[in-house]
Every structure is written in C-alpha cells, then in structure tokens.
Amino acid sequence: MNLAIILDHLRHENKPRILWVDALCINQGDSNDRSEQVKRMGPNYENARRTIVWLGPDANEMDEDEESGGELMKNIQFAFDMFRKLNERPANQGQRAADDQTTSWERRLQPPTKIMQTFLAPDGKFHFDKVARFVKENDAARALLRRPWWNRIWIVQETSKSKEIDVYFGGQTIDWKTLCGGAEKYLARHETQVALPERHTYQLRALFEAQRLRASHPDGKNLLSLLYRYRWFEAGDPHDKVYGILGLARKGPGDSGIPQVEPKYGTAVDICYRDVTLEIMRASGNLDILQLCPRPVCLSINSETLSLPSWVPDFSYDVKKIPEHTVVDDMAPITLHARLESTEDSSLTACGNSQCRAELGPDGRTLTLQGFMFDTIEVQSDTFQSVKINTNERFGFGLEAMRDMVRSEDTGELSLRKMAGNTFQIFRNAGQTSQELNAQLGMLTRWKKFAISLGQYPIHGDLETIFYRTMVKGDLGADPEQRMTEMKEAWEKTMKRIQGVGRLPGALGGLASAILSAGTSCTFPVGYLYNQRLAKTSKGYLALVPHGTEIGDEVALLAGGKSPFVLRRDDDEKWKLIGDCYIEGLMHGEHWKTELCTRINLV
C-alpha cells in the first residue's frame, strides 16, 4: 500500500519516468538473488543520476492528518523551510555540536534556564513571539527528525553514496545536503533544548558523519568501525546489520589485510556474525572486535538476543530494543578501538607485536587463541553507571505550558501560572539529576581513595598519576604532561561545583544547577568509565574492567590483543570472554612473553 502511494506521488503526468526500487527490483524471497543484488547496491547509488528518499506519509498518517487539519504536513513543511534558512547561515564562531562522549556530564547539567533565556530580552521583558516561534520550531523539528526512516541501516550507504538526493514528504521536497546542513546547525544551536531523546540525536549524528565518509575515506572505512558506529540502526533482516554497510567498507580484493565478506542470506544469522568476526580477526591480525562483545547495559534482561558464543558480538539489536530515554553513555561507551582509530595511536600493545591466530573448533562455537593467564581479580568496586535523563520530564512540562500559551487567545494569568508550575517541575527534575551526578562523583572519590591506598604499585610511579591515567585508559594525547595538569584541575573544579549542587534538595538543587552550570565548563573526562568497575588484582595492579566482571575472574594476555582481557572459567578447558580491560603497567607489552603462550579456548 505504501509503495503504491510513493509511486503515485513520483509519477510524471505527461512522460514516462524510470525508477529503480529495491523492493521491486530485488526478489526478496530469493536469498541467492538478494546476495548478488546487495553487492551492486553501492554502485547503483553511485551511478544513479538522482536518489529519491520518501519520508512519508504512509496510508494511516494521510487519513489521520486529514482529520487533524493537515497538522503533520504543516510541521514538515515548516521544518523544510527552517532547515533551508539555517543551511544558508554561516556557523556561529565557536559553535559546535555536542560531543557524544566527553561532554556528557555537561549535557546533564545544562540549565533549564537556557530555555527561559531564549524568550527574554536584555531588559528582562518576556517575549511571547519568541515563545511561539520556539514551540513551532521544536514541534516541526520533532515531526521531521523522528520519522522511522532515520533509523534504518540501509540509508547510511544510500545517503553517503548518492550524487544527488531529493527528500520527499508527500508533495513537499528538499535537497538532502540542505536538509543535513540545516538539521546539523539546528541541533548544534539548540543542543539540549531540543526535546529529542539522546538515543535519537546519537543516530542522527552518526548518519550525518556518514555524509562525510566519501571525502574523508575515499577508499572506504574500516569495517569494524562501521559495525560499531552503526550497530543501533534498524534492519528488517538481521543479516543487513553487516551487509547494509559493506558498500562503505574499505575494498581490496586479494588484499589479505582487508576483510573479505560476501553477502550470504542463506546462512543463519549467528553464522553470519561468527564468520564476519573471524574474518575481521584474520585480516587485521588483532582482537579489537572482541571489544564489542559485552552486552550493552541498556538492553533489558528480557530483550531477545541471539545465542552466540561469548567471543561473537551480537549486532542484531537496535534502538527499538532499548528504552526511549537511553543515554549515549550506555549505547556507545568509548572503546580502545574507537580511540586508536581516531588518533591513529598504535602505542597500546599489551601483547607486543604479536598477531592473533584464530582457529574455529569442530563444534563451530569454540575459538582457540594463543595466550596465558597473568593475574586474578581480587577486589572490585560497584559499576560506574550513567545518569538517566527523561527528555519529556526535563522539557515536556515547560513545552506543554508554552503550547498552551500559544494556542490560547488569553495569554494572561492562567497560562503563566501553569507555566510557572511546570518550570518548578523542571527545576525539581534538574535537582534530581544533579544529586545523581553527585552520587557518581562520590563513587569517583572512593575510587581515588582506593587507588591511593594500594601502597606500593608493581611498577614505579605516583599512585595519583596512575589513577588519572587509568580514568582515561592512558589517553593523554600529544602532550601527556599538559593533559595530566588539565585533568587534575578539571577534577578539582568538577568536584567543587557538582558536589555543592548535589547537597541541595529538589527544585532548589535544580536552580543552583542552573546558576552554577551557566559558568565556565569544567568537566572531568568520564567517557571511558561508563559501565566499568575499578578493580585490584592479586598482584596489586589497578584495573578498569567490564561491568560483568566478578571476583575470581582471570586477566589474560592473548596474542593480537592491544589490551588484556577478562575471562571466566567455563569448564576445565574452556573460558568465557567478559571483555577487554585497562591495567596500567601492562599496556605496552611489559609482561608479554611468547614462551608462556598456550592454547586458550573461548566459548
């Protein structure tokens, strides 16, 4: 039905029009045909004169929109016009989009008063016209940017490969580059004032990044990086979480250093994921892909996942399987692979220059690697968890009150009273957030005391410095001394600011948060810490380990690993992978000894 609507809108009245539509031109019921056609998808988009994106409406929405007086159509049209104007404007000096990781604390302390500041003139007078414009822009942006289309895995390749793209919503249209440019500037300008869930803005930014791949990576990008960045996009067929991005991956037929992955829809999904994992290991000679194996904490216990060996990442889940208000910190914690690729830093070599030699056992589930057990987890802390933000709770009260003011002919006492009440609720929620942040900082304070209490460390070094290095997994940039000074200063400022806020209850804490966070930024970097535990090993090392780690788990050094790994004994001869870890004093091959290696079987 929806395809019929699309074709009806796109047909020319007086001349034929040639369209290639994947739903029609690929036999979706024939796995062999799909496997062959998928290989051609990239060239199809590259060679097409024009690509058409259909955002809607579908049949149900057309009926509903007619009943509501065309509200959806009006919002989309307004959004198109708004993004056209924004795209033409130069970016403000110093303006940038919110970083997905390192500014996460700052995003949680963004003051609710920033919304209020939007409507106030320098003389403090309230401007109703600004309220109306803000509500209209916000509603229009939400209507457009929350369309289901934005989360589909195939659009990543489609939009980054095509020469020209026209985006349609009914009879309205906009150029893709204009839409992307305007949307990016809108998100950067409003940042936390847009009532969109973080999981959604994360997906949008990932898609916008893909538009620059052609220029930044003309020969294609590392397949592992693509699997990591786009793992939360949706696919009707779980195979497509891999096959849908192959067109963006680095090519090199016959090049042993590039993964050679062929679409095979006839194979089971678990075999597909297993084989791509093995192929990435073989081509890279390292174990970076094992960093994607731990189950994301944002997946509920009841979420259906595949029954995979512990060493095979599960790519089947998507944004529909996590709560609406999941935060970026739980979706995409910083991995060592992401850091190494972004900085081109090859200094982390826990296992020297060794190469992994992965062997698949006869059962099809056992992976044999070379390595040895180095240490045991003796003591560990609680997990460093993210602070959850319900976007509706944070902004919804104020926005709804603003909508009432706009819709009401009477903008007097009743609406202002309601808005005041809802603003109080916003401040109360901000106070709760600041108290949760204070609890996080309390944990970090205990972590630091724990690290300092270790006494003599197995390697020479100041324990405070070792603690700070562990907090960022050794990521000190080009000037480690300067970076260390900045971290210490950020630690002191952040502790003072947020701890002071967190002592105040309810709305008072929210108001204090608004006032204090309006000052200078002083965020301590915590991007590496989410869903990690701080642990002490039997040999006295300080370790940052995965959230699933238990006391008694072993620390292993495995050939091809840039970091140590936490393993748990499954039986006498087999182990389960818990995840990679960071241990200061092991990250540069200090204890790697080839002569100690034996066969280690992971299941």
Side-chain angles (χ1 to χ4, degrees), residues 258-278:
I258 296 178
Q260 308 297 320
V261 179
E262 291 287 322
K264 296 179 181 177
Y265 283 97
T267 62
V269 175
D270 58 340
I271 302 300
C272 168
Y273 293 173
R274 181 201 69 185
D275 289 351
V276 77
T277 300
L278 288 169

Side-chain angles (χ1 to χ4, degrees), residues 264-455:
K264 296 179 181 177
Y265 283 97
T267 62
V269 175
D270 58 340
I271 302 300
C272 168
Y273 293 173
R274 181 201 69 185
D275 289 351
V276 77
T277 300
L278 288 169
E279 179 58 18
I280 289 175
M281 287 183 189
R282 180 205 63 75
S284 66
N286 63 51
L287 301 176
D288 283 4
I289 193 168
L290 297 186
Q291 296 173 28
L292 305 190
C293 290
R295 177 190 174 96
V297 295
C298 51
L299 284 177
S300 66
I301 297 176
N302 298 324
S303 294
E304 292 185 10
T305 53
L306 298 173
S307 178
L308 297 167
S310 64
W311 54 273
V312 177
D314 188 348
F315 300 108
S316 64
Y317 45 76
D318 55 46
V319 290
K320 290 191 297 188
K321 293 187 178 180
I322 59 178
E324 172 79 2
H325 298 287
T326 298
V327 294
V328 169
D329 313 311
D330 291 340
M331 293 174 65
I334 299 178
T335 64
L336 288 177
H337 168 78
R339 164 193 152 188
L340 294 175
E341 193 204 30
S342 65
T343 61
E344 298 184 354
D345 177 5
S346 58
S347 62
L348 294 187
T349 53
C351 299
N353 296 319
S354 61
Q355 298 281 301
C356 76
R357 298 195 301 274
E359 300 176 18
L360 184 65
D363 62 356
R365 294 181 63 86
T366 302
L367 176 71
T368 300
L369 300 171
Q370 298 293 315
F372 56 92
M373 301 301 157
F374 176 78
D375 210 341
T376 305
I377 302 298
E378 185 175 81
V379 182
Q380 67 177 11
S381 70
D382 292 334
T383 302
F384 188 86
Q385 296 179 331
S386 61
V387 173
K388 306 299 186 290
I389 288 183
N390 185 321
T391 313
N392 287 340
E393 287 181 359
R394 186 167 181 188
F395 301 112
F397 296 101
L399 287 174
E400 192 55 43
M402 292 175 203
R403 289 192 187 96
D404 286 346
M405 290 179 66
V406 172
R407 291 168 185 163
S408 174
E409 292 183 0
D410 177 13
T411 59
E413 182 180 357
L414 181 62
S415 292
L416 289 174
R417 185 186 300 136
K418 184 174 182 180
M419 187 170 183
N422 286 316
T423 301
F424 177 84
Q425 183 66 45
I426 292 174
F427 280 124
R428 192 179 75 172
N429 290 337
Q432 292 171 351
T433 298
S434 67
Q435 289 178 14
E436 290 180 38
L437 285 168
N438 191 60
Q440 275 190 338
L441 286 167
M443 178 179 289
L444 281 186
T445 302
R446 293 191 295 274
W447 279 18
K448 187 175 182 181
K449 290 179 180 178
F450 172 74
I452 301 299
S453 71
L454 291 179

Side-chain angles (χ1 to χ4, degrees), residues 2 47 66 91 99 153 211 217 244 255 276 295 361 375 429 463 492 537 555 585 602:
N2 288 334
N47 297 323
E66 286 179 5
D99 183 274
I153 189 66
Q211 312 315 302
H217 296 78
D255 187 337
V276 77
R295 177 190 174 96
D375 210 341
N429 290 337
L463 283 171
E492 296 300 327
T537 70
V555 175
L602 301 182

